[in-house]
């Protein structure tokens, strides 16, 4: 019986992240950066001390006489429970990757404390509720991965306050309302994926006169409730390479400028009400896998 319990214990505790600040008795890691994972993190210092190595998934850097945690990557280990608000005490964090776990509940508004964060990856969890506008305070953020969760409500316009943002993944959630056209002011945004939600509005609402989204290469709007015609100005997205419009309620014709676009490689329009003879372009790619690597 004890042997069976020992085998079962790791199932419950091996993947349970106790993100509770730990008091540090020794070592020179800043005290706010002390953490514990019961299954593999040994010692009181996440950056390692003496003969003890750094904790698995933890990267540190030296700042003067102290070391600080700059990266926390604990993914695909079935962590269960609410979003760990305690991570927001890691004020020097540049990368937070907890993807492919079983986190629930909302993202804490205290996420806005992580002023140095560049990569936030929480995809493939069970997170829910609305996105806190405080995400817009992460001015150094370049990659935001929130896909495959249960977020609801409107996409916060505060995301347009992230001047360094390059990749924005919001697909496979329950977002409603319109896509904020203010996202077009993000001069570094290359990839925008809001597919498989419940978004409304028109493409004209999003792109206006086509002067926005100067760096956008990939735009995924598929499987929503978008309506209206495709404005000719969409061809003004001069760097566009991939455009998914399938399974919405678009009508009318496909602007000729899209078919003549010098860089557009993939255009998908099925599942709409376009004029007969309108054709897609390219071949659908394989769905993103939960353990796919992040390309920085």
């Amino acid at each position: 019986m004890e042997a069976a319990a020992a085998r079962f214990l790791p199932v419950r505790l091996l993947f349970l992240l106790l993100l509770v600040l730990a008091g540090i008795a020794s070592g020179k890691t800043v005290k706010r950066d002390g953490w514990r994972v019961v299954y593999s993190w040994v010692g009181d210092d996440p950056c390692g001390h003496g003969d003890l190595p750094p904790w698995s998934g933890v990267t540190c850097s030296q700042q003067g006489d102290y070391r600080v945690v700059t990266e926390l990557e604990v993914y695909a280990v079935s962590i269960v429970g609410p979003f760990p608000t305690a991570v927001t005490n890691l004020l020097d964090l540049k990368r937070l990757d907890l993807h492919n776990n079983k986190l629930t509940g909302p993202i804490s508004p205290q996420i806005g404390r992580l002023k140095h964060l560049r990569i936030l990856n929480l995809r493939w969890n069970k997170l829910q509720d609305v996105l806190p506008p405080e995400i817009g305070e992460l001015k150094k953020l370049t990659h935001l991965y929130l896909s495959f969760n249960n977020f609801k409500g409107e996409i916060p316009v505060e995301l347009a306050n992230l001047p360094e943002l390059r990749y924005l993944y919001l697909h496979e959630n329950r977002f409603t309302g319109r896509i904020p056209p203010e996202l077009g002011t993000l001069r570094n945004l290359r990839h925008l994926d809001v597919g498989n939600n419940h978004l409304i509005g028109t493409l004209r609402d999003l792109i206006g006169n086509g002067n926005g989204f100067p760096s956008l290469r990939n735009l995924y709007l598929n499987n929503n409730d978008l309506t209206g015609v495709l404005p000719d100005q969409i061809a003004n997205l001069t760097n566009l390479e991939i455009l998914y419009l399938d399974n919405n309620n678009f009508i009318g014709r496909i602007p000729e400028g899209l078919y003549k676009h010098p860089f557009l490689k993939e255009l998908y329009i099925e599942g709409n009400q376009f004029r007969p003879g309108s054709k897609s372009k390219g071949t659908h790619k394989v769905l993103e896998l939960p353990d796919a690597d992040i390309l920085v």
Side-chain angles (χ1 to χ4, degrees), residues 128-196:
Q128 55 200 49
D129 214 335
V130 299
L131 292 185
E134 287 79 5
I135 288 182
E137 299 174 14
L138 307 177
K139 303 299 183 182
K140 296 184 178 181
L141 201 67
T142 60
H143 295 64
L144 180 56
Y145 299 87
L146 300 177
S147 51
F148 295 97
N149 279 287
N150 293 308
F151 293 116
K152 65 179 182 178
E154 297 188 352
I155 297 172
V157 67
E158 286 81 5
L159 294 182
N161 297 333
L162 304 175
E164 302 299 323
L165 193 64
R166 299 177 185 177
Y167 297 91
L168 178 56
Y169 290 81
L170 301 177
H171 56 287
E172 293 284 351
N173 279 287
R174 299 179 181 179
F175 289 116
T176 56
R178 300 176 185 273
I179 308 167
E182 291 84 355
L183 295 178
T185 65
L186 295 174
R187 304 198 63 80
N188 293 303
L189 189 64
R190 301 176 184 177
H191 185 108
L192 174 59
D193 191 344
V194 295
N196 291 89

Side-chain angles (χ1 to χ4, degrees), residues 77-258:
V77 290
S78 297
I79 300 170
V80 177
F83 175 82
T85 301
V87 298
T88 63
N89 288 300
L90 298 174
L91 300 182
D92 298 284
L93 208 59
K94 295 181 180 179
R95 178 194 292 257
L96 176 58
D97 187 349
L98 302 176
H99 83 270
N100 197 17
N101 283 296
K102 297 180 181 179
L103 297 176
T104 57
I107 297 177
S108 169
Q110 295 185 50
I111 193 73
R113 301 178 65 201
L114 301 179
K115 305 300 184 184
H116 299 283
L117 200 63
R118 296 177 182 175
I119 298 175
L120 177 59
N121 187 359
L122 300 174
R123 62 197 173 120
W124 290 96
N125 276 286
K126 298 181 180 181
L127 295 166
Q128 55 200 49
D129 214 335
V130 299
L131 292 185
E134 287 79 5
I135 288 182
E137 299 174 14
L138 307 177
K139 303 299 183 182
K140 296 184 178 181
L141 201 67
T142 60
H143 295 64
L144 180 56
Y145 299 87
L146 300 177
S147 51
F148 295 97
N149 279 287
N150 293 308
F151 293 116
K152 65 179 182 178
E154 297 188 352
I155 297 172
V157 67
E158 286 81 5
L159 294 182
N161 297 333
L162 304 175
E164 302 299 323
L165 193 64
R166 299 177 185 177
Y167 297 91
L168 178 56
Y169 290 81
L170 301 177
H171 56 287
E172 293 284 351
N173 279 287
R174 299 179 181 179
F175 289 116
T176 56
R178 300 176 185 273
I179 308 167
E182 291 84 355
L183 295 178
T185 65
L186 295 174
R187 304 198 63 80
N188 293 303
L189 189 64
R190 301 176 184 177
H191 185 108
L192 174 59
D193 191 344
V194 295
N196 291 89
N197 282 287
H198 306 288
L199 299 168
I200 62 172
T202 69
L203 204 51
R204 187 180 298 277
D205 293 336
L206 179 60
I207 67 170
N209 59 13
N211 291 332
F213 298 103
S215 300
L216 194 64
R217 299 175 183 176
N218 308 325
L219 178 58
Y220 295 81
L221 303 174
N222 53 291
N223 297 89
N224 280 290
D225 297 311
L226 301 173
T227 58
V229 300
L230 302 190
D232 292 333
Q233 290 81 356
I234 193 172
N236 293 343
L237 302 179
T238 54
N239 291 302
L240 198 62
E241 297 179 2
I242 298 175
L243 178 59
Y244 277 50
L245 302 174
D246 45 305
N247 298 309
N248 280 284
N249 295 303
F250 292 118
I251 60 174
R253 63 180 183 85
I254 305 297
E256 189 64 24
L258 278 182

